[in-house]
Amino acid sequence: MRIKVINPNTTASMTALIGECARAVAGPGVTVDAVSPRQGPAAIESHVDDALAVPGLLQEIADGESAGYDGYVIACFGDPGLKAARELARGPVVGIAEAGMRTASYLGRGFSVVTTLARTVGHAHDLTEEYGVARQCRGIHACEIPVLALETDPHARATILRACEEALALDGSDAIVLGCAGMADLCHDLSTALGVSVIDGVAAATATVEMLVRMRLRTGKLGEFAPHPRSEGVGLSVGLG
Amino acid sequence: MRIKVINPNTTASMTALIGECARAVAGPGVTVDAVSPRQGPAAIESHVDDALAVPGLLQEIADGESAGYDGYVIACFGDPGLKAARELARGPVVGIAEAGMRTASYLGRGFSVVTTLARTVGHAHDLTEEYGVARQCRGIHACEIPVLALETDPHARATILRACEEALALDGSDAIVLGCAGMADLCHDLSTALGVSVIDGVAAATATVEMLVRMRLRTGKLGEFAPHPRSEGVGLSVGLG
Amino acid sequence: MRIKVINPNTTASMTALIGECARAVAGPGVTVDAVSPRQGPAAIESHVDDALAVPGLLQEIADGESAGYDGYVIACFGDPGLKAARELARGPVVGIAEAGMRTASYLGRGFSVVTTLARTVGHAHDLTEEYGVARQCRGIHACEIPVLALETDPHARATILRACEEALALDGSDAIVLGCAGMADLCHDLSTALGVSVIDGVAAATATVEMLVRMRLRTGKLGEFAPHPRSEGVGLSVGLG
Amino acid sequence: MRIKVINPNTTASMTALIGECARAVAGPGVTVDAVSPRQGPAAIESHVDDALAVPGLLQEIADGESAGYDGYVIACFGDPGLKAARELARGPVVGIAEAGMRTASYLGRGFSVVTTLARTVGHAHDLTEEYGVARQCRGIHACEIPVLALETDPHARATILRACEEALALDGSDAIVLGCAGMADLCHDLSTALGVSVIDGVAAATATVEMLVRMRLRTGKLGEFAPHPRSEGVGLSVGLG
Amino acid sequence: MRIKVINPNTTASMTALIGECARAVAGPGVTVDAVSPRQGPAAIESHVDDALAVPGLLQEIADGESAGYDGYVIACFGDPGLKAARELARGPVVGIAEAGMRTASYLGRGFSVVTTLARTVGHAHDLTEEYGVARQCRGIHACEIPVLALETDPHARATILRACEEALALDGSDAIVLGCAGMADLCHDLSTALGVSVIDGVAAATATVEMLVRMRLRTGKLGEFAPHPRSEGVGLSVGLG
Amino acid sequence: MRIKVINPNTTASMTALIGECARAVAGPGVTVDAVSPRQGPAAIESHVDDALAVPGLLQEIADGESAGYDGYVIACFGDPGLKAARELARGPVVGIAEAGMRTASYLGRGFSVVTTLARTVGHAHDLTEEYGVARQCRGIHACEIPVLALETDPHARATILRACEEALALDGSDAIVLGCAGMADLCHDLSTALGVSVIDGVAAATATVEMLVRMRLRTGKLGEFAPHPRSEGVGLSVGLG
């Protein structure tokens, strides 16, 4: 089984970290390849970033189809381009926000999300509505660390831990969902420090794709997600310069 | 006052029709310019189309800001890129789905949408949730005419009229919202034939932008829609090859 | 085009102020007449006030129909009698709460309402549900100034400004909606002081009626809002002594 | 204990029937007086009717307070003026729609409403939302008999029975709620014929007021429903000619 | 009329108190018998307690059917086994949470619940959703007194009064619902001290069953709540050792 | 890793089938044991069945904890006793309705459920609300085959296939969820015949528990699901005679 994990931003160090976290959770016999688009924003922290990351992401899906991947992970907490990717791919496609939050729903009554910038909280709320976890999600907390500073800010881990502690105290949650692919490596540490389960969406989405492929489940192709004639060729050449 | 109406697909004849309908509703002293992106899908009838139309649309917004437009209309019923456009523009940006459906909400208890392909109905439902008109929207009806066939199919008008009649009978609605910018010119005809108000989103959105500009109202810029540093330059060069 | 703006309370000075604000936003060629009912409460700040204002308001609509008005504004933030008025009038009828809040929905993710007395907050919440803006409305804040004191209290403007500032800080909103027709004249001042759009419902409703009339849109008359035989004559004579 | 049952329309024969049905359910030691306002519409089947019935209804509440009644029933399925009546009365006030539908909620998963004219169905839907029974209410069915024809149409009973049978078949409900005070006397007959519980709102509301009074429960008077100074005197003289 | 009030826990002193409170509200001619199951948890304050109390409770319903009771109250605020009990009984079955909260809905815009342990708050929230009172319920407040300590803790009454005061201040509610059958005797005292109606679910449920029986209303038996063949005999012998 | 799959009914042939389907999906190194309670209903198709199955199920969880299992599946589509089981177990517990429906949510816009008896449809609807999949679930269809007849009725497979076909046609769904553990073995066959993914909840729940254990995620134990002192010993002896 081959799973392609796509980091929709173009920061290679983050793609490497995401790949490691995805491979750590994959079962025996599962190959995980982590990639970035050739072009696109270096980080995704605005609606413009989100929109401009999608063409490159879709190109990676199209390339993945040629290469015969069994399923895909979209490794950005905004789940950019998820529906379009489902239209293009034969196998399952899972976003890390949807997998992170749905997985958390199995662990009790509610969870809290700890994410990067406050300006992204509105979009995360929209996703809780779309994925049917609005009632389970008891709070979305920004720690105001920009995505790319997660790798460089020496206080990042401490700031995130404090945000998790505050979230638990305020929300009375049963679990924490990390709201950025760039936080994936902090997961086990935080869980130990907090005494509750901490969910990294990259791991959750990778394990979910593996599960779906093993169960031979794939996106319904009879209606909204049927392939569209124009998507082959002309469509994808647009926007990829 | 100058309003830029952006048809996010690249079909020039449709852009011309949209421009006429927008100008027909604009008040005295309002200049309306209708444009298409340089690159992008010829019609928008899938999630992939929707995603690939956005970079070109955002470039038009960025160019419009340089040119000093007061406000913008996004003239595709899926309202692609609306939030990203609001991030880029100083003045108001209005989509034709949101304006069409919110305007219909003033006309009674509920409205029906008549649109092109069944595969777009799911996305239209999502928009009714996002815009808070889910209860008012009593049905979304596809007449299975592809967007580009609206101009060429000699039976298009009759098919749409029949879909409207069926929608009214089934939903008991107080108004019809046309679910495609390419139907804009049919509005008055259908209204006369049906005996209820028929709303063209292009007209509704243009009149709404005019109203917002006249009232000096604009997108809030203190949080989610604040300009993002990376959006200038690097960001927009991506995807526009 | 002739629009009749009805202040449902009987305080003439407030009617004058409302008329000025409505005329300030109306386009060229639009005549705006502001009136009050002959009988009714001097201010509307309870459920009883709201109920007793309606017969006089409906008489104004009936008179307006004889006089050939094209559309109507109901200029009280509780939107009293809105559905009954739609039943009586041929053209569109718009309330200032619905227009104020729907207009605010175009300006970002959410808005806050700043209103007069806390006892009216529950009704305003009901309206957010009815108009489909419950999610967009992030808070309704009372400044505890009775309606009639808006004209006489020398600290009214400062108190309202402070309430707006607190609302923005607490709710993280993209805009403020003023929750009383008697605040209409404060709109531009507050907007300048706060740095976000402030929406006066009187202006929003007047501009919306103008837009609907220009687009030839009117209330659906095939069902719930069809004229009712008994409403002519007998009905309206009741309650107007 | 004295309960005042107010039929908000002015048709005396209907008031008599309502009084009988209310008295039939009242416990020992409970006096039930059924009245109509002096002025108002003869039947309530439009938004205008509903609005114009309220001033007379509120006068009956005010008179009832002077006469020392312990509680009130508003005996019209639209529950007109309910919130204003709660503001005026010291004891509990219950509408027949709210009592009929909440009582039905104890009898299984869902109920169907069978009512008079289709034009009132929208308002009944609004009430299901307001009273929190929207999910329990599986359908609202109009049998197109005008309110006043309930007494004169020889086929009324058969038509209503058929509408109930269709409602049960379509909705799979556990009970029927009769959607008009004028149907109160049909309740037991229909229940026998249908084999499910049929709820008359007049009986349900009368029994509920009796229960609330016995438990010494009354409307909260610390906020929204506190008496309002202006309601005494000036207020009520308005609209009652 | 004979009503059986079942305390689903096995603490006899609490059953006695519940019986007294139920009899205090019952009308003339109504016999109320309060009982506990022969086996089961001494108090119900966890999901396991709730589950293990149900077989004994159902045995009491089955025995009650043989003895010819007209209706039943389930006297634990979690309403354990309510749907199963409705399946077994011919007459109405009412839980104290549903009756307490629905009764409170007649008294204004909203109510607050004051209950025992924080760990039960989640389940109480679920019940507000199920009973359609989620909007009316403005807060659920735990005073952290275990159920059995209600009888022995000398500070229990003062702690509960303080929790009620805080709930009213925080929620702006029109009434308080007591969230445990063991608090039933505090109802009138608290009401006097607080100046708002305080609802004891035991009284509310008993009065509601009396009302339903008097109106000859019972659970619908055509579908979900029809008797199930296997429930007689084999079924009930299980789990009752 | 050891997973205990509990069939809450006592029909051994069904437990065997469930065990096979669970083992078929488990990854290398995962041991799956399928068991039934010693006592309880032979099938679960009513609220009484559901309630009476829980004590035996909880005993299996308690025994499983002594035996050191890593996680549990509750293999009945009503997910009986799920919250109580989460309270007792250290590791994750997953129901087949929640896993089946959440898994289906990854495959497109919506799914249909095909289940056994119509009398269980109401409970399945409640679960869609509880699990946040109410919008994704486009229909729940009963094929009126009792649970135990699934093994003996020679037409069962054909009847279920027809119900699936009708569900797809009516609901326009992207996937089918099988609404009974006894249908687990039909999954791949139906999927091939229908051309859409068909989800067996037993497989979905087993794979989900495996995923959660691999990710070291477990139920939050700081609040609602903390172990309760009384659950050890006394509690569980009740009801298991």
Side-chain angles (χ1 to χ4, degrees), chain B residues 109 129 135 214 224, chain C residues 25 109 129 135 214 224:
Chain B
R109 178 166 296 274
E129 296 276 353
R135 203 171 33 176
R214 211 196 284 163
E224 182 174 341
Chain C
V25 80
R109 179 166 294 273
E129 296 277 352
R135 205 170 32 176
R214 213 195 285 162
E224 181 174 341

Side-chain angles (χ1 to χ4, degrees), chain A residues 20 28 32 36 40 57 63 66 80 86 100 135 149 153 163 172 178 180 195 226:
Chain A
E20 273 173 51
V32 172
S36 300
L57 166 78
D63 293 352
S66 309
R86 281 193 177 134
R135 204 170 34 176
D153 178 346
L178 296 178
C180 178

Side-chain angles (χ1 to χ4, degrees), chain C residues 6 37 53-64 74 80-88 236 240, chain D residues 47-52:
Chain C
I6 306 170
V54 173
L57 167 78
L58 295 182
Q59 187 63 60
E60 290 298 329
I61 299 279
D63 294 351
I74 298 182
L82 179 56
K83 290 197 190 101
R86 283 195 175 134
E87 218 171 76
L88 284 181
L236 279 175
L240 289 168
Chain D
H47 292 297
V48 171
D49 286 344
D50 191 285
L52 294 180

Side-chain angles (χ1 to χ4, degrees), chain B residues 87-141:
Chain B
E87 218 170 74
L88 283 180
R90 280 178 305 258
V93 185
V94 172
I96 69 170
E98 70 170 343
M101 298 197 290
R102 284 203 182 115
T103 299
S105 296
Y106 289 106
L107 305 178
R109 178 166 296 274
F111 60 84
S112 302
V113 174
V114 171
T115 189
T116 55
L117 301 185
R119 65 181 297 148
T120 68
V121 167
H123 181 58
H125 269 300
D126 283 348
L127 295 182
T128 66
E129 296 276 353
E130 183 173 343
Y131 300 145
V133 295
R135 203 171 33 176
Q136 286 88 341
C137 177
R138 306 176 80 122
I140 304 177
H141 305 263

